[in-house]
Amino acid sequence: MRNNPYYGPEGHGPYEMIGIGDLDLEEGGRIPDCQLAVATHGKLNAAKDNAILVPTWYSGTSKIMEQVYIGDGRALDPSKYFIIVVNQIGNGLSTSPHNSTGALAGPGFPKVRIGDDVRAQHQLLTETYGLDRLALVVGGSMGAQQTYEWAVRYPEFVQRAAPIAGTAKFTEHDILLLDTLAEAITSDPGFRDGSYASPADVAAGLKRHAKGWTLCGWSDAFFRAGRHRAFGFETVRDFADNFMVGYFAPMDPNALLSMSWKAQNADVSRHTGGDLAAALGRIKAKTFVMPISHDVIFPVADCAAEQALISGSSLRPLVSIDGHLGLFGADPELLAQVDANLKELMETSVD
Amino acid sequence: MRNNPYYGPEGHGPYEMIGIGDLDLEEGGRIPDCQLAVATHGKLNAAKDNAILVPTWYSGTSKIMEQVYIGDGRALDPSKYFIIVVNQIGNGLSTSPHNSTGALAGPGFPKVRIGDDVRAQHQLLTETYGLDRLALVVGGSMGAQQTYEWAVRYPEFVQRAAPIAGTAKFTEHDILLLDTLAEAITSDPGFRDGSYASPADVAAGLKRHAKGWTLCGWSDAFFRAGRHRAFGFETVRDFADNFMVGYFAPMDPNALLSMSWKAQNADVSRHTGGDLAAALGRIKAKTFVMPISHDVIFPVADCAAEQALISGSSLRPLVSIDGHLGLFGADPELLAQVDANLKELMETSVD
């Protein structure tokens, strides 16, 4: 499985592979010579105070963040900021099951937590770029989980935080949801406990997983409005069987499962003995919490409950019937709202 | 598979098996000697104008309708009405895959439509009870589908209609949802294309199916409020693995799949060449449309769009965080709302 053609610079570049040495993991074990795939945009200024960190979401890479969120005139403007997009561990570009060797290859890949990613990123930022602060951390979904972890773990480092469509502590409802999506893959006899030869061997399971994502990723209002036809598909079944199944089909099942476990176990209250209020109370960043109105995975109510625990934060719901996968950027109105909020956040002084 | 101990009078009685002869099916084929399992409550009056029909939902039988909705002082009061609960074809009690023989047994069971059920019920009511009208048809979920079909197909017969948590035409979003729930079962190697020896052979698939139902049957607000703990389960995973898995485990997979296909293909506009407005325009029954506020399968918006097409109807949303499976009756406030609406509907004159 070292050669999965999906994961490479052709589809996801340019990015640079940067080694941070051995990474000891919170669940035990170690990733030797941990490699982070990093894409940067813009230039770090002399004061080193214009750096923005963008972590990635489940199944996503640095490429979609570049394509959808970064550009001249956008909130994430490379002419003003030094934007560092770090692919999460296990996403297929950074150190992951399919590109690991020996005992760590494939199903032997160790459990990685959000905290492991954030410590690895902290090491990257301090050692490679000499940073001691970030003007902003912004990410969606699992990127929001990493954003919260950053703001709680390194409160002095993070000046502003913008978690989009994600929570600091995964809900029980979502744990069950990811159980069912993972079991769609692992129940495929072709999965062979992770020892499949190719994602094609797990095609049926990946297809069921993709159909499940179709249901929870978008919203009923999205389908009621016929938004799937804007993607070129006459029926919801066609949209699922082609667009969504096609999206996931080439991905590595072990990578998806590694990220899924990581997402399920995201919980900043691990820093405070299970006290979520205490954990979120540590945040010093100016924080805009941005749920998406029709997100059924991270409903506004769940995000609002956490936002209420963050001093000086602001709840900024984004309105889009696209739901959670509004993150994909198909709704320009949603992107306009993201940009307006991020621009306002960046104009907020943080001394 | 003729002996599935789950389906019988011990757990679901009392009911009477009433044969309606051969039933020709809309999709082609025929059920010879079609048997309907029928439970009645109360007495038919001399004028034969106090009859209420209650069809059943997916996986449900006449028993839960009796336990949750029928009783002295309730809207469905056996001291006032003659209440006829008819188990839908394929639900395990009426003619179904596991109790059929020959070519129709198990996976050979033919496709049955909502319209087949309603024609069978019409024959039952006219021939067995000599009825030419119903004071009310009321049902939830697939029972609502049958209620709509009754009101469109036999507008003179149905004086009042109360579809609860269901639609007249299944949405595309829900078609995909039932695809994924069905595939949770059919993807189990033990399913053997429907030729399993026992539901226990399909336990893994039934378990995945049950977990999927946990997610879409209840609501995120239900779990956020910790309602699963009121059922005696500490975590959502425990609630799914025990309560929901236990509920579905003894059921016949072919029966569930028969009902699932039927639900997916429910569409009253088959009577009018695909024109839903024209179909719903045929309804003469005084109709209360009752979606459940937190139902993610039949959102209020979907039900309201249909209600707007029914002359003289009223939209009566039921407020409950239990979502679709509020139908199970665990929220007494929901049942109080159902009763208040049904009592008001029964007091409405209809000529």
Side-chain angles (χ1 to χ4, degrees):
Chain A
M1 274 310 303
R2 275 190 76 75
N3 293 312
N4 181 322
Y6 176 78
Y7 300 110
E10 299 77 11
H12 300 278
Y15 55 80
E16 184 182 0
M17 297 301 293
I18 302 178
I20 57 159
D22 296 351
L23 180 67
D24 289 318
L25 301 171
E26 295 185 0
E27 286 291 298
R30 171 182 294 184
I31 296 178
D33 184 27
C34 183
Q35 298 283 323
L36 298 179
V38 181
T40 64
H41 308 270
K43 287 193 165 53
L44 186 61
N45 64 14
K48 296 193 172 186
D49 64 1
N50 72 331
I52 291 176
L53 176 68
V54 182
T56 61
W57 60 61
Y58 179 79
S59 82
T61 72
S62 47
K63 195 64 186 175
I64 193 168
M65 303 315 297
E66 172 194 334
Q67 292 174 327
V68 176
Y69 293 94
I70 298 171
D72 291 339
R74 301 290 304 277
L76 302 184
D77 189 334
S79 72
K80 296 165 72 175
Y81 303 111
F82 179 55
I83 303 160
I84 309 156
V85 191
V86 183
N87 290 276
Q88 67 172 303
I89 297 166
N91 87 327
L93 299 187
S94 294
T95 294
S96 294
H98 86 278
N99 62 24
S100 291
T101 55
L104 273 60
F109 198 70
K111 295 274 187 286
V112 179
R113 281 189 171 274
I114 291 286
D116 296 316
D117 274 284
V118 168
R119 285 186 298 107
Q121 292 163 11
H122 183 265
Q123 190 179 334
L124 171 81
L125 299 190
T126 53
E127 294 180 0
T128 302
Y129 304 112
L131 299 178
D132 62 7
R133 81 194 66 179
L134 283 163
L136 171 69
V137 184
V138 57
S141 199
M142 288 188 73
Q145 294 180 325
Q146 292 166 76
T147 299
Y148 276 119
E149 179 76 16
W150 259 101
V152 169
R153 186 182 282 260
Y154 303 114
E156 307 293 342
F157 207 105
V158 182
Q159 296 184 300
R160 298 175 192 81
I164 304 173
T167 53
K169 177 176 178 169
F170 214 54
T171 65
E172 284 197 62
H173 178 265
D174 286 343
I175 289 172
L176 186 68
L177 172 64
L178 291 204
D179 274 352
T180 69
L181 293 168
E183 287 168 8
I185 294 173
T186 58
S187 63
D188 186 336
F191 178 67
R192 296 178 55 226
D193 292 328
S195 299
Y196 52 85
S198 148
D201 297 346
V202 197
L206 285 167
K207 183 172 180 175
R208 290 195 297 274
H209 166 271
K211 290 170 94 166
W213 263 100
T214 307
L215 289 163
C216 65
W218 310 93
S219 76
D220 62 277
F222 172 91
F223 294 114
R224 189 181 308 122
R227 283 274 293 152
H228 51 287
R229 288 193 286 273
F231 286 73
F233 300 96
E234 189 55 34
T235 70
V236 174
R237 270 181 174 155
D238 286 344
F239 176 75
D241 287 344
N242 294 285
F243 180 74
M244 292 296 287
V245 170
Y247 171 72
F248 283 111
M251 296 186 191
D252 182 45
N254 285 322
L256 293 173
L257 295 169
S258 172
M259 288 183 278
S260 179
W261 186 90
K262 190 197 292 181
Q264 285 180 306
N265 290 279
D267 180 4
V268 297
S269 78
R270 284 165 46 83
H271 294 290
T272 50
D275 184 337
L276 184 62
L280 294 173
R282 289 187 180 183
I283 295 177
K284 296 191 174 180
K286 176 67 185 173
T287 303
F288 280 10
V289 172
M290 294 193 249
I292 299 175
S293 58
H294 288 64
D295 190 336
V296 296
I297 306 177
F298 301 102
V300 172
D302 286 335
C303 299
E306 293 185 340
Q307 181 269 325
L309 300 174
I310 302 170
S311 170
S313 63
S314 177
L315 183 68
R316 302 294 178 105
L318 309 170
V319 178
S320 174
I321 61 171
D322 283 14
H324 190 65
L325 293 184
L327 290 170
F328 279 10
D331 178 357
E333 296 296 322
L334 174 66
L335 296 182
Q337 295 171 64
V338 169
D339 275 19
N341 279 298
L342 290 181
K343 284 179 178 178
E344 180 183 337
L345 180 58
M346 292 309 291
E347 286 162 5
T348 306
S349 72
V350 289
D351 44 24
Chain B
M1 273 312 302
R2 273 191 76 77
N3 292 313
N4 180 322
Y6 177 77
Y7 300 111
E10 298 78 10
H12 299 280
Y15 55 80
E16 183 182 2
M17 298 301 292
I18 302 178
I20 57 159
D22 295 353
L23 180 68
D24 288 319
L25 301 171
E26 296 184 0
E27 286 290 298
R30 170 183 296 184
I31 295 178
D33 185 26
C34 183
Q35 298 283 325
L36 298 179
V38 181
T40 63
H41 307 270
K43 288 195 162 52
L44 185 61
N45 62 16
K48 296 193 172 186
D49 64 2
N50 71 331
I52 292 176
L53 175 68
V54 182
T56 61
W57 60 60
Y58 180 79
S59 82
T61 73
S62 47
K63 194 65 187 174
I64 192 168
M65 302 316 297
E66 171 195 335
Q67 292 175 326
V68 176
Y69 293 95
I70 298 171
D72 290 340
R74 302 288 305 276
L76 302 184
D77 188 335
S79 71
K80 295 166 73 173
Y81 304 111
F82 179 55
I83 304 161
I84 309 155
V85 191
V86 183
N87 289 277
Q88 67 172 302
I89 297 166
N91 87 328
L93 298 188
S94 293
T95 294
S96 295
H98 86 277
N99 60 25
S100 291
T101 56
L104 273 60
F109 198 71
K111 294 274 186 286
V112 179
R113 282 189 171 273
I114 291 287
D116 296 316
D117 275 284
V118 168
R119 284 185 300 107
Q121 291 163 12
H122 182 267
Q123 190 179 333
L124 171 81
L125 299 190
T126 53
E127 296 181 359
T128 302
Y129 304 111
L131 298 179
D132 62 7
R133 81 195 63 181
L134 282 163
L136 171 68
V137 183
V138 56
S141 200
M142 288 187 75
Q145 294 180 326
Q146 293 166 74
T147 299
Y148 276 120
E149 180 75 16
W150 259 101
V152 170
R153 186 183 280 260
Y154 303 114
E156 308 293 343
F157 207 105
V158 182
Q159 296 184 299
R160 299 175 191 81
I164 304 173
T167 53
K169 177 176 178 170
F170 214 54
T171 66
E172 286 198 60
H173 178 267
D174 286 343
I175 289 172
L176 186 69
L177 173 63
L178 291 204
D179 275 352
T180 67
L181 293 168
E183 287 168 8
I185 294 173
T186 59
S187 63
D188 186 335
F191 178 67
R192 296 179 56 227
D193 293 329
S195 299
Y196 51 85
S198 148
D201 297 346
V202 198
L206 285 167
K207 182 172 181 174
R208 290 195 297 275
H209 166 271
K211 290 169 94 165
W213 263 101
T214 308
L215 289 164
C216 65
W218 310 94
S219 76
D220 62 277
F222 172 92
F223 294 114
R224 188 181 309 119
R227 283 274 293 153
H228 51 287
R229 288 194 285 275
F231 287 72
F233 301 97
E234 189 55 34
T235 71
V236 174
R237 270 180 175 155
D238 286 343
F239 176 74
D241 287 344
N242 294 287
F243 179 74
M244 293 296 287
V245 169
Y247 172 71
F248 283 111
M251 296 187 192
D252 182 45
N254 285 322
L256 293 173
L257 294 169
S258 172
M259 289 183 277
S260 178
W261 186 91
K262 191 197 292 181
Q264 285 181 306
N265 290 278
D267 179 6
V268 296
S269 78
R270 283 164 48 83
H271 293 291
T272 51
D275 185 336
L276 184 63
L280 294 174
R282 290 188 179 183
I283 295 176
K284 296 192 173 178
K286 177 67 186 175
T287 304
F288 280 9
V289 173
M290 293 193 247
I292 298 174
S293 58
H294 287 63
D295 190 336
V296 297
I297 306 176
F298 301 102
V300 173
D302 287 334
C303 299
E306 293 184 341
Q307 180 268 324
L309 300 173
I310 303 170
S311 170
S313 65
S314 177
L315 183 68
R316 302 293 177 104
L318 309 170
V319 179
S320 175
I321 61 172
D322 284 13
H324 189 64
L325 293 184
L327 290 171
F328 279 10
D331 178 358
E333 297 296 323
L334 174 66
L335 296 183
Q337 295 170 66
V338 169
D339 275 17
N341 279 297
L342 290 181
K343 285 180 178 177
E344 180 183 337
L345 180 57
M346 292 310 291
E347 286 161 8
T348 306
S349 73
V350 288
D351 29 29

